Amino acid sequence: MSKAFTRESDDAPEEPQFSRPASVLPPGAPNYLTPGGAERLRMELERLTEQERPAVQASSADDVKARLRAVDQRILEIGEALGSARILPPPPKPWDRVSFGASVTVRMADGEEVTYRIVGVDEVDLDRGWVSWLTPVAKALMNARLGERVTLQLPGGRTELEVLGILYPGA
């Protein structure tokens, strides 16, 4: 095709398109957040809108449009998460039963002790042991009592967990 029939912008590299990620929540499932998780998202949203976005706009870097789109995408994600969130405070003491927001220390079948915190899908941090309330380990632990043994069904087979401790951080 002759260059006369193309725009200069057609020669420019394709700009990446950012699409909204599909929600990890099953249809109709509530979007639970701990009070601390909601506060962390609010703080991130404030930082993005008041510091990060203006800094990117003022930048003279070549990739300003792409960086701005990435910041705007994250702002949209956080806004949607907070807009649909059900913030669940910790239950009243005594904490003898596992529920949403709990940090649960368990003894694995091999004797290893592990602590999981059951949080919302927007709070997951596997490096810290924070797992979504939708994961198999969280489902196995929900409503378990202190000292109780629960069965965890994994693709590789079943294992048993003993509940050693239940805490609600920030409560």
Side-chain angles (χ1 to χ4, degrees):
M1 179 182 282
S2 167
K3 272 301 231 187
F5 296 104
T6 63
R7 293 185 300 251
E8 279 186 38
S9 62
D10 289 344
D11 295 335
E14 278 287 318
E15 291 183 14
Q17 296 295 316
F18 294 97
S19 61
R20 288 181 36 211
S23 175
V24 295
L25 288 170
N31 184 21
Y32 295 131
L33 281 177
T34 63
E39 183 58 28
R40 281 185 294 281
L41 285 177
R42 283 188 205 103
M43 289 172 50
E44 182 182 357
L45 182 59
E46 183 178 322
R47 180 185 57 77
L48 288 169
T49 57
E50 294 180 11
Q51 296 171 9
E52 187 108 5
R53 193 172 198 288
V56 170
Q57 286 176 314
S59 172
S60 60
D62 292 335
D63 63 345
V64 169
K65 285 183 181 180
R67 289 175 44 211
L68 192 57
R69 235 186 329 273
V71 170
D72 287 344
Q73 178 68 31
R74 182 64 183 149
I75 288 170
L76 176 68
E77 290 168 4
I78 294 171
E80 287 181 355
L82 288 171
S84 66
R86 285 194 204 164
I87 301 169
L88 297 181
K93 287 185 178 183
W95 296 329
D96 61 344
R97 199 178 270 276
V98 177
S99 64
F100 181 83
S103 282
V104 186
T105 301
V106 298
R107 181 176 297 124
M108 309 295 278
D110 64 4
E112 178 185 8
E113 291 185 13
V114 179
T115 300
Y116 296 104
R117 177 140 191 238
I118 301 171
V119 296
V121 296
D122 296 306
E123 301 175 81
V124 170
D125 185 343
L126 298 178
D127 292 335
R128 295 168 71 180
W130 292 14
V131 297
S132 162
W133 63 279
L134 296 169
T135 61
V137 69
K139 288 179 178 182
L141 291 170
M142 291 296 259
N143 294 312
R145 292 188 177 278
L146 195 58
E148 185 177 345
R149 291 180 185 270
V150 297
T151 301
L152 172 59
Q153 181 66 48
L154 296 171
R158 291 179 175 209
T159 189
E160 206 170 79
L161 309 174
E162 179 184 0
V163 178
L164 302 176
I166 304 170
L167 294 173
Y168 288 86

